[in-house]
Amino acid sequence: MKVSAQAPANIAFVKYWGKYNDALTLPSNSSISMNLAELHTITTIEFSEKYRDDIVEIEFFGQRLKVVTDQKKVRVTQQIDRLRKKAKVTKRARVMLINNFPAESGIGSSASAFAALTVASCAALDLHVDRKELSILTRLGGSGSATRSILDGFVEWKKGTLSKDSYATQLAPASHWDIHDVILVVSSKSKKSSSLEGHKLAKTSPYYKARLAELPRRLVLVRQAIRDKSLSKLGIELEKDALSLHFIAMTSTPPIWYLESSTIEVIKEIYTLRNQGIEAYFTMDAGPNIHIICVAKDSSTIKAYFARKPYIETIFVSGSGKGASIIEKHLF
Amino acid sequence: MKVSAQAPANIAFVKYWGKYNDALTLPSNSSISMNLAELHTITTIEFSEKYRDDIVEIEFFGQRLKVVTDQKKVRVTQQIDRLRKKAKVTKRARVMLINNFPAESGIGSSASAFAALTVASCAALDLHVDRKELSILTRLGGSGSATRSILDGFVEWKKGTLSKDSYATQLAPASHWDIHDVILVVSSKSKKSSSLEGHKLAKTSPYYKARLAELPRRLVLVRQAIRDKSLSKLGIELEKDALSLHFIAMTSTPPIWYLESSTIEVIKEIYTLRNQGIEAYFTMDAGPNIHIICVAKDSSTIKAYFARKPYIETIFVSGSGKGASIIEKHLF
């Protein structure tokens, strides 16, 4: 009953923001993302009589492995409980999660963590579930975007109308389109407001309905852009969607600001790059860091361009990658 | 036929953004502002046989007086033509405009300029018009917000349904409420995009309708806040309205960014000040500079707080003031 799994972070082209059902993590809109080959969480979980209580250990990029006892532990153990109940198992577990990128700064660490946790737990508990069911179980863990980290490549999470029809489907495999995400970490400090808070406050923004109203059209355009491998079509919608999420956040009551001044600097630099003929488009999740989407051949130029800037802490580059999977090597 | 006038800049609490009739400058929404006692344009205009052509001279804060021949001249002479036609006068004019604050950076220089120009021109052309008519004639000059610079104190520009009922009315005289506008100039460089462009593009934003839909409620709240002298009520709406304008601009096609990274820094500092118990609220017009609205007794503290910051170029402080008026002293 010891299993390890690896799951990717993902970058949303059309963001998930707000839920119509909190308890079941049913989103107010469908979302589309690309799984990131180079950014992942590895988890090992072991269910055993030898544990008196659940033990949750997490390692963030650049930090030491820590036993967590706070809200993070609660979220992890709630998900394990859900699966334990389904498997009719009562044994306690030890779980270790290791991220190879900074957590809680809008690079989807909860997505990769909950996808890896769910996949590893289901296997360890001998729950035989297909990908669709895995995606639903992952969603119920509370990190909605984790749902999209289950499948390979370019993924859509359908809003659905009930718990059983709100799950992720593949739009295209990772090999379909060689685009890169150049991730500029302008601040790896933990966010003051979590995405969870943002989702809850979304509906207090007077602009939230307008966001939801424009999304059906955007989803069509983004699906087409992926199908046609059209970066310019994707890019326009990508940028609008990111600004829309941040605006909903900053017009929520109380307002949430994920952006830093350096975020704005980077956005302006991206316009400059585009004027120089380099196709580069920005997006930001619920954090200050910027994801630059470009064709694979441009990513090293873009990385070099920003590496010189004083406000950049770290840069990651990743193509599209596969979804969550069981791995052989255990963390403990 | 030589007259001088002075008119104030104004800071909008509910912004004018977008028009439903370009030619007549009929706005898509009513707006509310406070005229600023300390920031003004002085203009002198002389109609005379001695001028072969219209001569327009403008001085911006910190710059030299210049004869303008570009789009600025066109806009000024179009307004003079309109009034000349009304007065059945054909004589050419010399006009000089001097601003005591930076132009074209979202501090309303076209508002004060067109208000002063219209008031001086009407008097020089011996057009006997009342305040309402003056406000309409000013509006037709193309700088809608100039309409609000005609009257004293706290002013609402009613959207109206026809040219004759879209004009400014006073909500309260300047003496009604002793609040200050602390204007932080983070960049006095001219804007890349003019407000005129922004107004035209507003309707291309998918969020524009949502903005217009929320404004009737905001207008009621802001009128009440002024009537009750409630800074906290005013402040909440003020900030939401500013963010809304900027978001409409950045989600227009093509997007317009008036914000600078320093704008974001200042906004975050304002949240800090509020946490320290200083009631201070931000607003930005179509430019990067921030207006901090506070009670008069707090403005020196706020000014001192920001004077130390490296990204601040200049700080102006102003209470509410009177509208456009004829003055005795001529500029030439």
Side-chain angles (χ1 to χ4, degrees), chain A residues 25-131:
Chain A
T25 316
L26 290 169
S28 302
N29 61 276
S30 298
S31 52
I32 295 177
S33 60
M34 173 174 96
N35 280 320
L36 299 171
E38 309 300 330
L39 282 75
H40 56 72
T41 300
I42 292 177
T43 190
T44 297
I45 189 160
E46 181 183 36
F47 292 89
S48 166
E49 306 285 1
K50 71 184 170 198
Y51 303 121
R52 294 232 166 152
D53 191 11
D54 291 327
I55 305 160
V56 181
E57 294 162 277
I58 306 183
E59 183 181 307
F60 296 114
F61 176 80
Q63 293 179 28
R64 280 178 23 193
L65 182 70
K66 270 182 226 158
V67 174
V68 295
T69 50
D70 57 359
Q71 188 54 27
K72 287 189 191 71
K73 181 181 180 184
V74 175
R75 287 185 69 193
V76 168
T77 52
Q78 278 176 345
Q79 177 69 340
I80 300 172
D81 278 340
R82 183 176 289 110
L83 302 170
R84 235 179 329 223
K85 198 174 163 193
K86 193 175 168 72
K88 299 190 175 66
V89 167
T90 55
K91 278 179 269 193
R92 300 291 95 191
R94 178 182 176 193
V95 56
M96 190 182 289
L97 293 144
I98 295 187
N99 297 302
N100 73 343
F101 62 99
E104 300 189 304
S105 52
I107 320 186
S109 62
S110 67
S112 54
F114 278 86
L117 175 69
T118 307
V119 167
S121 301
C122 285
L125 292 165
D126 218 16
L127 285 168
H128 295 282
V129 290
D130 62 12
R131 287 250 154 180

Side-chain angles (χ1 to χ4, degrees), chain A residues 206-207 210-211 214 218 240 243-244 247 250-251 253 255 257 259-262 264-265 267-268 271 282, chain B residues 206-207 210-211 214 218 240 243-244 247 250-251 253 255 257 259-262 264-265 267-268 271 282:
Chain A
Y207 297 91
R211 166 168 171 76
E214 68 165 343
R218 176 163 302 143
K240 281 188 186 168
L243 292 176
S244 156
F247 188 62
M250 59 179 90
T251 54
T253 304
W257 281 78
L259 302 182
E260 297 288 339
S261 54
S262 42
I264 306 289
E265 291 295 335
I267 289 173
K268 296 193 171 182
Y271 290 134
F282 65 82
Chain B
Y207 297 91
R211 166 168 171 77
E214 68 166 341
R218 176 163 303 142
K240 282 188 184 166
L243 292 174
S244 156
F247 187 63
M250 58 179 90
T251 54
T253 304
W257 282 76
L259 302 183
E260 298 288 338
S261 53
S262 43
I264 307 290
E265 292 294 335
I267 289 173
K268 296 193 170 180
Y271 290 134
F282 65 82

Side-chain angles (χ1 to χ4, degrees), chain B residues 195-239:
Chain B
S195 313
L196 281 178
E197 260 183 272
H199 285 297
K200 277 184 192 152
L201 294 175
K203 55 178 82 69
T204 68
S205 164
Y207 297 91
Y208 190 53
K209 277 185 191 162
R211 166 168 171 77
L212 296 182
E214 68 166 341
L215 286 183
R217 191 169 163 270
R218 176 163 303 142
L219 287 160
V220 169
L221 292 171
V222 168
R223 277 184 221 117
Q224 285 173 353
I226 292 172
R227 185 197 61 198
D228 303 342
K229 299 188 238 183
S230 168
L231 184 58
S232 56
K233 271 191 203 164
L234 177 67
I236 290 165
E237 297 305 317
L238 196 66
E239 294 190 346

Side-chain angles (χ1 to χ4, degrees), chain B residues 178-180 182 231 277-279 294-303 317:
Chain B
D178 201 11
I179 55 175
H180 277 180
V182 180
L231 184 58
I278 296 171
E279 262 213 291
C294 59
V295 293
K297 70 170 180 53
D298 285 340
S299 65
S300 54
T301 311
I302 294 169
K303 184 179 174 179
V317 177

